[in-house]
Amino acid sequence: RMNIAEVFELSATDYFLLALLAIMVYRWFKRRNEPEIEAPKPAVVPPLPKQDMTLADLRKYDGEADEHILFGLNGTIYDVSRGRSFYGPGGPYGTLAGRDATRALGTMDAKAVRDEWDDCEDLKPDERESADEWESSFKYKYPTVGKLVKDDSEKTVYPEGEMSKVQDWVLPGKAKAN
């Protein structure tokens, strides 16, 4: 036979669990009344006009003097401004900003960038393959601005108003529809 007094007897564990439950309920009600905190939105960098650049032109886009962060890879210039925390000043790959990153990404050495024209002819096959893998990742992730050229005479003149954009996805073996 159960005694009603025994039902209401509480042990130290019971008091602890009740106090924990009370705290959790209090916090739940308190949070319901607090305004939601929104995460800061990253600044949107407007696209650059499509253009070819020399190394000297590219150096201007290192994320310091201009908000755009560009680098070259296998002769294509990518706008990696969205990845400012990686490619911007002080970022782990900040040395690539405003430079040709082909050798650095191929050799997996972020400090292997050069300030003079580098045709990367001496890269080993596995280093060339690594640079190509990086390029296949970047071409669908970041907008292309144009081509990295050796001198001004090689620059293509693009129609005025044509902006850099992320390349259209093309499945292997399929032609891109125009």
Side-chain angles (χ1 to χ4, degrees):
R1 196 169 188 225
M2 184 181 271
N3 184 350
I4 197 84
E6 291 175 357
V7 172
F8 291 105
E9 286 182 26
L10 301 173
S11 68
T13 305
D14 296 330
Y15 283 114
F16 174 76
L17 291 173
L18 281 173
L20 187 62
L21 179 64
I23 290 169
M24 289 174 55
V25 169
Y26 170 76
R27 286 185 148 188
W28 182 73
F29 276 111
K30 185 177 176 187
R31 282 193 182 152
R32 286 183 61 202
N33 296 331
E34 290 179 0
E36 289 287 323
I37 298 173
E38 290 185 32
K41 293 186 172 133
V44 176
V45 179
L48 284 170
K50 192 153 177 128
Q51 59 190 298
D52 291 348
M53 295 183 192
T54 62
L55 283 171
D57 299 329
L58 187 60
R59 282 300 289 147
K60 300 172 196 168
Y61 298 101
D62 61 1
E64 291 183 22
D66 189 285
E67 62 187 342
H68 292 92
I69 302 170
L70 309 179
F71 68 66
L73 177 59
N74 287 339
T76 302
I77 299 170
Y78 294 94
D79 186 341
V80 295
S81 302
R82 289 193 296 239
R84 177 170 285 282
S85 60
F86 286 106
Y87 306 108
Y93 298 104
T95 56
L96 305 181
R99 296 196 160 136
D100 181 359
T102 306
R103 179 173 298 280
L105 293 173
T107 60
M108 299 303 292
D109 179 5
K111 295 179 180 160
V113 292
R114 297 183 179 169
D115 288 325
E116 67 278 348
W117 181 259
D118 183 6
D119 57 15
C120 297
E121 292 284 327
D122 61 333
L123 287 179
K124 297 174 191 161
D126 62 321
E127 293 170 338
R128 171 61 50 205
E129 185 178 333
S130 179
D132 292 344
E133 288 173 6
W134 277 104
E135 182 180 26
S136 66
S137 170
F138 281 109
K139 76 169 46 170
Y140 299 111
K141 187 174 184 180
Y142 295 109
T144 57
V145 175
K147 297 287 178 198
L148 184 61
V149 295
K150 193 170 187 175
D151 59 49
D152 287 332
S153 66
E154 299 175 25
K155 289 183 177 180
T156 301
V157 177
Y158 295 96
E160 191 172 326
E162 187 174 342
M163 295 296 180
S164 59
K165 62 184 179 197
V166 176
Q167 293 184 4
D168 297 326
W169 180 262
V170 179
L171 294 173
K174 301 282 184 180
K176 185 167 91 172
N178 288 333

